[in-house]
Amino acid sequence: MSGINEDDIPQVERKTVTDFCYLLDKSKQLFNGLRDLPQYGQKQWQSYFGRTFDVYTKLWKFQQQHRQVLDNRYGLKRWQIGEIASKIGQLYYHYYLRTSETSYLNEAFSFYSAIRQRSYYSQVTKEDRPELVVKKLRYYARFIVVCLLLNKMDVVKDLVKELSDEIEDYTHRFNTEDQLEWNLVLQEVAAFIEADPVMVLNDDNTIVIISNRLSEGAGPMLEQGMVVGQLMLADALIIGNCNNQVKFSELTIDMFRMLQALEREPMNLTSQMNKPGLQDPAEKPMKRENPHKYLLYKPTFSQLYTFLAASFKELPANSALLIYLSATGVFPTGRSDYEGPYDFGGVLTNSNRDVVNGDAVHKRNQSYKEMHCLHPGDLYPFTRKPLFIIVDSSNSVAYKNFTNLFGQPLVCLLSPTAYPKALQDHSQRGSLFTLFLNNPLMAFLFVSGLSSMRKGLWEKCQDHVRKINRDIAQLLTHSRSIDQAFLQFFGDEFLRLLLTRFIFCSATLRMHKSFRETRNYPETYPALPRDELVENLHLQKQILELASILDVRNLYLESTMDEY
């Protein structure tokens, strides 16, 4: 203890230091054990997380109550307090990943923010220890991920600038081998921030931050006379395996957009629960706000199947499972006499082999099926329960060849397999199809060639898009020829919004003069009635009105009937 004779230290203070050391060791031990927990399954990990939170709560309060003694007798440094706060931030973030409750992101943000405001890591540069500086850099990277998920873009930009300065100082002082890795982190986050194709501007030219999470009353409400199923979306697998797509951490831009489309706006846990300070996630709000999600970045086939089986197993009664696949297409090379669910290719799963030409996988022997591929047939066992599939891929049409073997509700929303040349160059910044499902107005502006807009006009157009969504909901629920599977899913607020946005996307692209090939249009399994929905004259009139507000009506056909 700082070279002082132990006999000179009062017994009470000695016990304080001993208790602190015990709590610190116990917290590290529990935290390190978190990585051994299974990543799938929703029950096994909760009690362990609860114990870890208990110890960190005690440790945090203990160092606050005994700061002076710990400063004098233990030599507690500010970066060590920062480390404890950073671990608590990580706990909240991982609790968000496990539960999909966005409220925990706010808690992670408050701890990460406190580290920065109180400059806990400011003295690290004075110590000649590169490993401490790396802790600081990792803290910045984690803080940036949380801010991105909370759409705090102003903070992200400040953090990126600070991180850039810290990396420059770190590499200059220590001449380390990880300089390229840290510079890549900076490049990735810069590309991620700039991925949105349209900027919405305030009158003073500052950028308006747009959240694409579900807010109260944002989706089309169920109205009297709408007969729909009672299924609720309980679980979702969000899978990203696109080559060369913008990513940060283990989140591609498509995954990021889809996860936001499946979440409500976060609430602040502290204000919600009237308990200031550190919140135990075990005391979560009574109402579960969001469907549970697994985020899988470039999974292998076995990883994907393991998580899928876990979701399937734990799916509650009267619930639906959503699978979102944003992945490079895998195409069949041979033609077989019998065309079954393994003869159309599918989407890429991860392997250690290189992908040829960026967008197609070639097989050594044409008589075998591609192993590193999720074929439509691979999903057949899981159609024993209600399944809602979204495929965003250059071979999405492979999933049109489904057979509903078990009579359960089954819907596939399938992206276009090709886009007009002018839009292909943008694919690195995310798919147009997923953008329509995440932010239909931004996607509409993008295909209309607009890259910026004033806030007032944006809000006027948003009101119009909301009206279009309400009209689509009316059309869909009153359709006489629609497959019942669509109506079974329509009772869930998230799936209802995805379906109405899909129909808006499909109708828009069919009217756009640049989208003239069949492969430019999204499709569904089962097929939607075209004349009642995607080519409905009332809906086309509404889309033309939106185009008129934006002064881009010349880009759209007056009616798709012109084409026939």
Side-chain angles (χ1 to χ4, degrees), residues 31-199:
F31 191 90
N32 291 337
L34 289 172
R35 60 175 70 104
D36 298 328
L37 293 176
Q39 291 175 292
Y40 50 84
Q42 293 176 43
K43 301 290 177 281
Q44 306 95 315
W45 55 271
Q46 279 178 320
S47 60
Y48 192 95
F49 251 87
R51 290 209 310 279
T52 310
F53 257 97
D54 284 344
V55 171
Y56 270 98
T57 304
K58 287 174 188 164
L59 179 63
W60 185 252
K61 288 176 179 169
F62 194 89
Q63 63 83 22
Q64 284 178 320
Q65 290 160 357
H66 304 283
R67 182 74 56 82
Q68 196 167 357
V69 173
L70 292 170
D71 282 352
N72 296 337
R73 303 302 190 192
Y74 176 79
L76 184 67
K77 293 188 167 65
R78 288 188 68 72
W79 66 262
Q80 290 172 302
I81 302 168
E83 270 297 279
I84 298 168
S86 179
K87 289 281 200 298
I88 294 168
Q90 287 176 65
L91 277 175
Y92 275 122
Y93 173 65
H94 283 287
Y95 211 83
Y96 156 72
L97 289 180
R98 295 265 184 178
T99 63
S100 302
E101 291 296 351
T102 37
S103 308
Y104 299 125
L105 284 174
N106 278 336
E107 301 303 313
F109 177 82
S110 66
F111 273 88
Y112 284 147
S113 210
I115 293 170
R116 184 165 168 248
Q117 286 163 2
R118 297 172 193 174
S119 306
Y120 281 140
Y121 281 122
S122 62
Q123 301 300 308
V124 160
T125 45
K126 293 183 179 174
E127 306 210 17
D128 196 28
R129 292 171 61 188
E131 72 275 12
L132 286 186
V133 183
V134 169
K135 283 180 189 287
K136 186 178 185 177
L137 300 182
R138 284 180 178 157
Y139 149 73
Y140 269 107
R142 291 184 183 114
F143 193 7
I144 286 168
V145 171
V146 168
C147 290
L148 284 171
L149 288 165
L150 287 170
N151 291 307
K152 295 182 184 287
M153 292 303 174
D154 294 348
V155 184
V156 170
K157 284 169 185 170
D158 291 342
L159 291 174
V160 169
K161 188 178 183 315
E162 288 171 28
L163 177 59
S164 177
D165 293 342
E166 292 288 346
I167 290 170
E168 196 174 325
D169 179 65
Y170 167 66
T171 52
H172 178 70
R173 285 176 60 216
F174 296 108
N175 193 26
T176 58
E177 293 177 4
D178 55 357
Q179 179 178 358
L180 285 174
E181 289 170 40
W182 283 109
N183 284 332
L184 182 62
V185 168
L186 284 176
Q187 287 165 23
E188 284 184 349
V189 72
F192 209 90
I193 295 167
E194 290 165 11
D196 280 354
V198 179
M199 283 189 300

Side-chain angles (χ1 to χ4, degrees), residues 218-238:
M221 306 300 287
L222 289 178
E223 295 170 23
Q224 211 166 359
M226 289 185 176
V227 181
V228 296
Q230 301 301 308
L231 290 171
M232 298 296 289
L233 178 61
D235 227 274
L237 267 78
I238 296 178

Side-chain angles (χ1 to χ4, degrees), residues 175-400:
N175 193 26
T176 58
E177 293 177 4
D178 55 357
Q179 179 178 358
L180 285 174
E181 289 170 40
W182 283 109
N183 284 332
L184 182 62
V185 168
L186 284 176
Q187 287 165 23
E188 284 184 349
V189 72
F192 209 90
I193 295 167
E194 290 165 11
D196 280 354
V198 179
M199 283 189 300
V200 182
L201 302 171
N202 286 309
D203 291 339
D204 61 357
N205 282 342
T206 53
I207 295 173
V208 178
I209 307 302
I210 296 160
S211 173
N212 298 308
R213 286 191 173 93
L214 185 61
S215 54
E216 211 59 48
M221 306 300 287
L222 289 178
E223 295 170 23
Q224 211 166 359
M226 289 185 176
V227 181
V228 296
Q230 301 301 308
L231 290 171
M232 298 296 289
L233 178 61
D235 227 274
L237 267 78
I238 296 178
I239 296 148
N241 196 6
C242 277
N243 296 310
N244 306 322
Q245 194 176 90
V246 166
K247 65 168 269 288
F248 184 61
S249 188
E250 291 208 328
L251 213 53
T252 65
I253 193 71
D254 277 357
M255 292 171 71
F256 176 73
R257 285 172 177 157
M258 185 46 62
L259 81 86
Q260 298 223 334
L262 298 177
E263 290 181 349
R264 297 180 194 281
E265 283 296 343
M267 290 185 291
N268 191 305
L269 271 189
T270 307
S271 60
Q272 189 184 342
M273 292 156 61
N274 296 318
K275 276 191 179 179
L278 194 61
Q279 297 301 332
D280 181 355
E283 306 172 40
K284 65 179 181 179
M286 290 299 290
K287 181 171 177 282
R288 182 152 155 198
E289 292 293 325
N290 299 317
H292 172 263
K293 295 185 298 299
Y294 289 120
L295 306 175
L296 302 179
Y297 173 67
K298 295 203 167 180
T300 61
F301 176 81
S302 57
Q303 285 170 329
L304 197 159
Y305 230 56
T306 302
F307 280 87
L308 190 48
S311 281
F312 179 84
K313 180 187 171 196
E314 296 191 347
L315 198 69
N318 302 317
S319 297
L321 170 61
L322 182 146
I323 302 171
Y324 168 78
L325 296 162
S326 161
T328 300
V330 178
F331 300 92
T333 50
R335 276 271 161 254
S336 58
D337 298 334
Y338 162 72
E339 290 201 331
Y342 286 88
D343 293 316
F344 299 96
V347 299
L348 188 68
T349 54
N350 204 10
S351 72
N352 296 323
R353 293 182 304 152
D354 289 334
V355 175
V356 183
N357 299 333
D359 211 37
V361 176
H362 293 247
K363 300 194 289 292
R364 288 193 194 92
N365 187 326
Q366 293 194 2
S367 64
Y368 296 123
K369 308 302 176 199
E370 174 55 47
M371 276 197 304
H372 302 286
C373 168
L374 188 75
H375 298 267
D378 293 325
L379 297 179
Y380 276 25
F382 304 102
T383 61
R384 287 174 169 85
K385 292 183 181 179
L387 197 58
F388 193 97
I389 301 167
I390 302 172
V391 186
D392 195 338
S393 172
S394 53
N395 191 26
S396 60
V397 289
Y399 295 81
K400 237 181 22 172

